[in-house]
Amino acid sequence: MTRVVADITISLDGFVTGPDPGPDSGLGTGGKALHTWAFSDDPEDRRVLREATGRSGAVVLGRRLFDVVDGPNGWDDETGYGAAEVGRPAFVVVTSAEPESVRLDELDWTFVTTGLPDAVAAARERAEAASARTGTDLDAVLMGGGALVRSALDAGLVDALTLHLSPVILGAGTPLFTGAVPRTLVQRSVIVTSTATHLTYDVL
């Protein structure tokens, strides 16, 4: 069964980027420290990343994040979705208008201009098709940014939430939960490594 999984890294004080994120610094000031775990040699971090990348049948991201990863300092052959794993699922971008060009044209991009619910539905369809091809249950993953993940949670579009809690205090940046609709979660797993605490919840 295809699930919609929100998967994002967060600081101890609740931010998913540092201050002043932008096309040339997608994680903002100090924000790179959030993703130390994704490039860690810790075998448990590597397993968490490998398994999550391997379960991704389709990935949803917002336009700002797309502009970062498709920009000149974005993804390349060594660093992409899943960090060094460089997974290649279908990607669905929520945007008000399609970009004029795409640098990473070898990846499978779909641009949805009719809103987040339609983008999540498109990603679920792509993940279900990938599951049928591979004979494996694959997820539709909400990669971010933070506003997209929070909006999807608020709208009841998310089946599971995975947080990679980084031992970093940023002080400011893009908050994940400020102003969010109250939700009840059921904790399913906790994995503690040398660089992060990986938390998975079912969303009720």
Side-chain angles (χ1 to χ4, degrees):
M1 177 180 173
T2 297
R3 304 176 305 160
V4 176
V5 179
D7 188 309
I8 197 163
T9 300
I10 188 169
S11 68
L12 287 177
D13 51 347
F15 297 103
V16 296
T17 76
D20 303 317
D24 295 327
S25 179
L27 292 172
T29 303
K32 286 186 177 181
L34 288 170
H35 290 274
T36 298
W37 75 270
F39 298 93
S40 165
D41 291 329
D42 186 299
E44 281 295 279
D45 284 327
R46 301 306 305 166
R47 182 179 66 81
V48 167
L49 187 64
R50 182 174 61 253
E51 290 180 357
T53 304
R55 287 194 313 270
S56 299
V59 175
V60 181
L61 60 159
R63 179 57 186 268
R64 288 183 184 176
L65 183 53
F66 167 78
D67 287 342
V68 170
V69 302
D70 194 57
N73 298 316
W75 289 348
D76 54 31
D77 291 339
E78 295 181 357
T79 303
Y81 178 69
E85 294 292 319
V86 193
R88 293 178 179 267
F91 293 96
V92 178
V93 180
V94 187
T95 180
S96 59
E98 294 191 22
E100 294 182 3
S101 63
V102 176
R103 178 178 66 88
L104 298 168
D105 58 4
E106 74 279 8
L107 298 180
D108 180 358
W109 296 103
T110 299
F111 297 93
V112 174
T113 60
T114 52
L116 179 57
D118 287 346
V120 172
R124 190 192 290 271
E125 289 177 5
R126 301 300 296 273
E128 288 173 348
S131 296
R133 284 196 309 271
T134 62
T136 305
D137 286 336
L138 299 175
D139 299 328
V141 178
L142 308 185
M143 173 183 172
L148 181 146
V149 169
R150 184 172 63 248
S151 295
L153 284 166
D154 288 349
L157 299 174
V158 177
D159 300 313
L161 171 65
T162 295
L163 297 176
H164 309 283
L165 184 62
S166 178
V168 175
I169 296 173
L170 293 173
T174 304
L176 183 58
F177 295 121
T178 300
V181 172
R183 290 279 172 197
T184 299
L185 307 180
V186 177
Q187 186 167 284
R188 291 304 182 198
S189 70
V190 179
I191 300 171
V192 179
T193 73
S194 60
T195 59
T197 302
H198 306 283
L199 304 159
T200 298
Y201 304 91
D202 287 340
V203 181
L204 302 182

